[in-house]
Amino acid sequence: MKKHETAKGVWPPASTPFRPDLSIDFERYIAHCRALLNDGVHGLAVLGTTSEANSLDFNERQAVLETLVASGIPAEKLLPGTGAASIGDAVRLTKHAVGLGVRGVLLLPPFYYKGVSDDGLFAFVAEVIARVNDPRLSIYLYNFPQMSALAWSPNLIEKLLKKFPETVVGLKDSSGDVAYLNTLLDRFPGFAVFPASEALLFAALKRGAAGCISATANMNAGAISKLYETWKTAGAEELNKSVTAVRLLMQKVPAVAGVKAVLADRYKTQEWARVRPPLDPLTPAQQKELLSELQKLEAGALV
Amino acid sequence: MKKHETAKGVWPPASTPFRPDLSIDFERYIAHCRALLNDGVHGLAVLGTTSEANSLDFNERQAVLETLVASGIPAEKLLPGTGAASIGDAVRLTKHAVGLGVRGVLLLPPFYYKGVSDDGLFAFVAEVIARVNDPRLSIYLYNFPQMSALAWSPNLIEKLLKKFPETVVGLKDSSGDVAYLNTLLDRFPGFAVFPASEALLFAALKRGAAGCISATANMNAGAISKLYETWKTAGAEELNKSVTAVRLLMQKVPAVAGVKAVLADRYKTQEWARVRPPLDPLTPAQQKELLSELQKLEAGALV
């Protein structure tokens, strides 16, 4: 199997539905993934933060990928999170994913220890790459300091790109820090940078971004994908406004539970609203208000 | 097998030595654990933060416990960390540990997501307890907000004690927040609270603490254990001063690497100084200065 081309476009971190006993509802999950692809997304960044990947156990994370591939979704459309606090677990998950033929993997920094040095993070990534030891491996760094407390600094990225130019190919930035995002876009042309918010997508595309990996692409996949496809055309400004308005509304509630509340409405089952502890679902009042505000936005939107 | 009595005394989170290929050096590890017990500690809080537990993969964490028990160290002398970001992984590690007959387990909150509610943490613990489903289970909550970002609030602890009085039996507090520590000691008599610093031990014992679970008990086990045993006697004030001075010196360097630097000196091999990425070892200059300062302290100490 050859190495895949670097990903671009809109890759939602697909939400993971749970049954009443908190096990993964694979039937609903596959249906959701198919619906996203039908809506025009370019692939699925499964097992991300929005997917509650770190609330799944390691066997479940592997089962998710195997089930997706077995369902007929091409592995090259998958960009799973395979980060873990330990080298050994990150290697195990990454090897498994690469073995299935995924497009690449999103790698969190080891997120237990805090105040870790760039040298320490470099050594972590180098060790993961050495142990996975597979030319097909493409790593997309996952920058989310609000969760992991550790960030991929521009200097560290430069060092990684110099040492592993074939392997470290991109980055998802969930920091929301536009200065950081722009620094990466300007300093590393060809490095596939994905902001996590579609509210930043339009400006970032003009600066060379590869696309976006957005939680809310779970519930606004068509419009965001269209924005990506048509950003150079006349209607893009207007579409950007509408996409941004939805995103800003969604940012008023906790991300994981908020997306699931909307999916519960779309798929007409409260089963979809369930989250795993330690997260909480939205309260009924929060859910009601969110859906009502969303309806108002959609009534006025172009898409 | 009956349920063990609640732990008390000095329980070091034993450091984990690594070979050049970063695998666990079990021979040195067992020798260190035996040395600590010979020095008078009351048990071993293995697989803690100082042990780099979250840099071990899940199979290694189980292998550590199995190897310790096979080496003849009584399981009731072990209080391993079994926390994980997901319920499933925490349950797997906890079941395994309880099955081996350990004294109890130290449970971190699920440390990936941030801004989690007390209700979410309660649901996490309740789910772990329900799934482990073993009357022998004793949980010691592990409070280390500097690493996990989540804390066990007094109100949450009260709720857990009310619902699981037989299972949630203690807490290790690594926060260094004396007001929090005192609140727990005053509000929950009988709840086994262990400060993580021996510098807080003497005052905490007067207030009803169960002992301490301290990183630096890896390198000052005898004196700290003696302080615990003799805190009501005449020489305790003086001993407390000396123990505290060592602790404050050690706090000048990163904890995990600092303890290992001292062990490298004690055991006369730099092999002991090795840490796993993402952590860094002390620089040679840091190590030299630390050892020199430590020597000065020990030259003037009573013990």
Side-chain angles (χ1 to χ4, degrees), chain A residues 49 112-114 117 147 280, chain B residues 49 112-114 117 147 280:
Chain A
T49 300
Y112 181 67
Y113 292 100
K114 305 300 180 277
S117 72
M147 286 292 166
D280 296 306
Chain B
T49 299
Y112 181 66
Y113 292 99
K114 305 299 181 277
S117 72
M147 286 293 165
D280 297 306

Side-chain angles (χ1 to χ4, degrees), chain A residues 100-141:
Chain A
L100 287 173
V102 299
R103 187 65 159 261
V105 302
L106 274 160
L107 191 69
L108 276 170
F111 51 81
Y112 181 67
Y113 292 100
K114 305 300 180 277
V116 163
S117 72
D118 275 5
D119 285 350
L121 289 179
F122 182 88
F124 182 92
V125 176
E127 193 69 26
V128 169
I129 291 172
R131 293 196 193 181
V132 172
N133 188 27
D134 192 318
R136 294 171 298 172
L137 173 62
S138 291
I139 289 178
Y140 299 74
L141 304 170

Side-chain angles (χ1 to χ4, degrees), chain B:
Chain B
M1 207 185 293
K2 277 202 328 184
K3 182 157 179 154
H4 294 302
E5 274 179 35
T6 301
K8 56 187 180 178
V10 177
W11 292 65
S15 295
T16 315
F18 299 120
R19 298 194 191 93
D21 68 358
L22 298 180
S23 62
I24 299 170
D25 187 331
F26 281 109
E27 200 174 328
R28 286 207 166 91
Y29 181 63
I30 300 291
H32 177 54
C33 288
R34 283 191 196 289
L36 291 171
L37 290 167
N38 285 338
D39 278 350
V41 304
H42 304 84
L44 301 165
V46 295
L47 299 169
T49 299
T50 305
S51 322
E52 295 170 79
N54 288 305
S55 297
L56 308 186
D57 69 43
F58 283 14
N59 293 329
E60 288 177 316
R61 286 169 73 172
Q62 297 184 50
V64 162
L65 291 186
E66 288 167 13
T67 306
L68 282 167
V69 171
S71 81
I73 292 176
E76 69 183 47
K77 296 271 188 193
L78 301 175
L79 195 59
T82 58
S86 72
I87 292 168
D89 289 325
V91 167
R92 176 179 151 207
L93 293 175
T94 303
K95 264 193 173 172
H96 175 261
V98 173
L100 287 172
V102 300
R103 187 64 160 262
V105 301
L106 274 159
L107 191 69
L108 276 169
F111 50 82
Y112 181 66
Y113 292 99
K114 305 299 181 277
V116 163
S117 72
D118 275 5
D119 284 349
L121 290 179
F122 182 89
F124 182 91
V125 176
E127 194 68 26
V128 169
I129 292 172
R131 293 196 194 182
V132 172
N133 188 25
D134 191 320
R136 293 172 298 174
L137 173 62
S138 291
I139 289 179
Y140 299 73
L141 304 170
Y142 186 2
N143 191 60
F144 197 0
Q146 288 89 336
M147 286 293 165
S148 62
L150 303 175
W152 303 102
S153 74
N155 286 345
L156 170 56
I157 293 168
E158 183 167 69
K159 209 175 145 190
L160 287 168
L161 289 177
K162 200 170 167 186
K163 181 84 177 181
F164 308 109
E166 305 296 321
T167 306
V168 177
V169 302
L171 179 141
K172 173 192 175 182
D173 179 33
S174 294
S175 72
D177 178 345
V178 177
Y180 172 82
L181 176 66
N182 287 342
T183 297
L184 300 194
L185 290 170
D186 296 349
R187 190 160 152 186
F188 308 116
F191 186 53
V193 176
F194 296 79
S197 167
E198 59 274 25
L200 303 177
L201 177 62
F202 189 50
L205 284 170
K206 294 181 188 171
R207 220 162 174 136
C212 79
I213 299 176
S214 159
T216 39
N218 272 287
M219 46 69 72
N220 203 20
I224 302 170
S225 302
K226 188 173 168 194
L227 177 61
Y228 173 80
E229 295 291 354
T230 65
W231 70 274
K232 289 179 180 169
T233 66
E237 294 268 7
E238 214 47 44
L239 181 54
N240 179 45
K241 275 186 203 162
S242 126
V243 156
T244 298
V246 171
R247 173 73 187 200
L248 296 181
L249 172 63
M250 293 299 293
Q251 286 180 192
K252 292 183 181 172
V253 295
V256 176
V259 166
K260 282 189 156 180
V262 176
L263 294 177
D265 182 61
R266 296 276 171 82
Y267 292 131
K268 299 188 196 328
T269 168
Q270 276 300 114
E271 293 290 306
W272 251 108
R274 188 174 289 118
V275 292
R276 272 198 188 171
L279 298 186
D280 297 306
L282 297 196
T283 63
Q286 282 178 310
Q287 185 173 10
K288 195 175 161 192
E289 192 189 339
L290 177 67
L291 294 173
S292 153
E293 292 293 318
L294 194 58
Q295 210 167 20
K296 282 185 218 164
L297 271 187
E298 285 168 349
L302 284 176
V303 289

